[in-house]
């Protein structure tokens, strides 16, 4: 078992998140515009149809975990496995269906110093400090995130239907990129009580540079689908450089 020293504390691997809640909206975005944003990573945007990729906006409230309690907002792109180059739409769809796709954590504001240091130091996640307001308890989930007095995103997600089975554990490769290094981390998720629906999101973009990035992808626009997870457990392994 490996450990990492973060701000004078030992963090043992893998890191366990015993209780979190989350909600997200998934958007169709132009492949070319998304690829320009992620080109420094060396990864490729996955296409679910010709010329279109997938971008998720997700808010997470970490209630009980090895890094302590904190809020997080992520801009996530679905990407091809780093060992795959020049894939096709049918191949990308198979990867989505079989768990062979990866998730690039492109932006990751948080509201805690310890998780910021751990995220950047252990996994290379692009965490930055930000300010949050969040309501994960109401039927309509609502959160906003800003930095230095500038709004990044305000997101509302309406109540969906119970997903079949209510819980599906999955393991995904999470990619990160900071300081010109791309890393890959095994990310295990065990959700319960999942609700989902087509559309169902209201998004407002602010004046922050992250909001400008999202505008370059054509947001705000109608979400493909939204998901709310009232009970989420996660495990993060060590990162490897790719």
């Amino acid at each position: 078992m490996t450990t990492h020293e973060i701000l004078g504390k030992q963090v043992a691997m893998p890191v366990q998140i015993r209780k979190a809640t989350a909600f997200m909206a998934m958007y169709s975005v132009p492949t070319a515009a998304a690829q320009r944003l992620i080109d420094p990573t060396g990864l490729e945007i996955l296409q679910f149809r010709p010329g279109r990729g997938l971008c998720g906006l997700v808010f997470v409230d970490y209630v009980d975990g090895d890094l302590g309690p904190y809020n997080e907002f992520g801009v996530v792109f679905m990407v091809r496995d780093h060992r795959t180059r020049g894939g096709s739409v049918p191949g990308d769809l198979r990867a989505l269906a079989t768990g062979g796709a990866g998730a690039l954590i492109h932006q990751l504001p948080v509201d805690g110093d310890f998780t910021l240091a751990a995220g950047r130091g252990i996994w290379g996640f692009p965490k930055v400090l930000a300010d949050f307001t969040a309501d994960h308890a109401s039927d309509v989930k609502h959160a906003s995130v800003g930095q230095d007095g500038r709004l990044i995103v305000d997101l509302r997600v309406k109540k969906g239907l119970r997903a079949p089975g209510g819980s599906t554990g999955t393991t995904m490769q999470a990619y990160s990129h900071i300081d010109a290094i791309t890393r890959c981390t095994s990310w295990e998720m065990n959700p319960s009580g999942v609700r989902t629906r087509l559309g169902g999101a209201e998004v407002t973009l602010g004046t922050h540079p992250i909001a400008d990035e999202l505008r370059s992808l054509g947001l705000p626009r109608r979400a493909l689908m939204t998901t709310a997870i009232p009970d989420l457990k996660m495990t993060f392994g060590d990162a490897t450089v790719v």
Side-chain angles (χ1 to χ4, degrees), residues 9 48 56 63 125 175 178 195:
K9 299 180 181 179
F48 73 100
V63 179
F125 288 142
Y175 292 97
I178 59 171
R195 288 184 177 270

Side-chain angles (χ1 to χ4, degrees), residues 41-237:
T41 69
L43 300 170
E44 294 182 352
I45 292 289
L46 177 149
Q47 297 189 93
F48 73 100
R49 63 184 179 89
R52 306 300 294 187
L54 294 168
C55 176
L57 306 183
V58 56
F59 280 93
V60 186
D61 179 8
Y62 290 83
V63 179
D64 177 23
D66 292 347
L67 304 182
Y70 63 97
N71 285 283
E72 180 177 272
F73 168 70
V75 178
V76 181
F77 291 104
M78 299 306 297
V79 295
R80 294 172 179 148
D81 186 286
H82 66 278
R83 295 161 292 191
T84 301
R85 289 291 181 268
S88 63
V89 171
D92 287 348
L93 289 173
R94 283 194 297 272
L96 278 173
T98 60
L104 170 64
I105 314 301
H106 177 63
Q107 302 283 3
L108 202 61
V110 297
D111 66 357
D113 290 316
F114 188 77
T115 187
L116 182 146
R120 296 182 72 92
I122 298 174
W123 302 285
F125 288 142
K127 293 188 176 185
V128 295
L129 283 178
D131 300 310
F132 287 76
T133 61
D135 177 6
H136 287 255
S138 300
D139 282 349
V140 176
K141 313 303 180 187
H142 177 218
S144 64
V145 56
Q147 187 183 52
D148 299 327
R150 291 185 291 177
L151 176 68
I152 299 174
V153 167
D154 184 286
L155 179 65
R156 296 177 186 269
V157 167
K158 298 176 183 177
K159 188 175 182 178
L161 299 175
R162 285 272 188 174
S167 175
T168 304
T170 185
T171 299
M172 178 175 288
Q173 300 304 314
Y175 292 97
S176 60
H177 181 84
I178 59 171
D179 301 327
I181 299 172
T182 300
R183 296 175 174 87
C184 181
T185 300
S186 178
W187 175 21
E188 181 181 324
M189 293 169 284
N190 290 283
S192 298
V194 178
R195 288 184 177 270
T196 189
R197 60 174 289 164
L198 298 177
E202 297 177 11
V203 63
T204 301
L205 302 179
T207 59
H208 191 277
I210 295 176
D212 292 337
E213 278 194 344
L214 296 174
R215 285 192 188 89
S216 77
L217 300 173
L219 273 67
R221 59 176 295 146
R222 186 177 188 273
L224 291 175
M225 64 180 298
T226 51
T227 303
I229 308 172
D231 187 6
L232 177 61
K233 297 177 176 60
M234 293 182 279
T235 301
F236 295 90

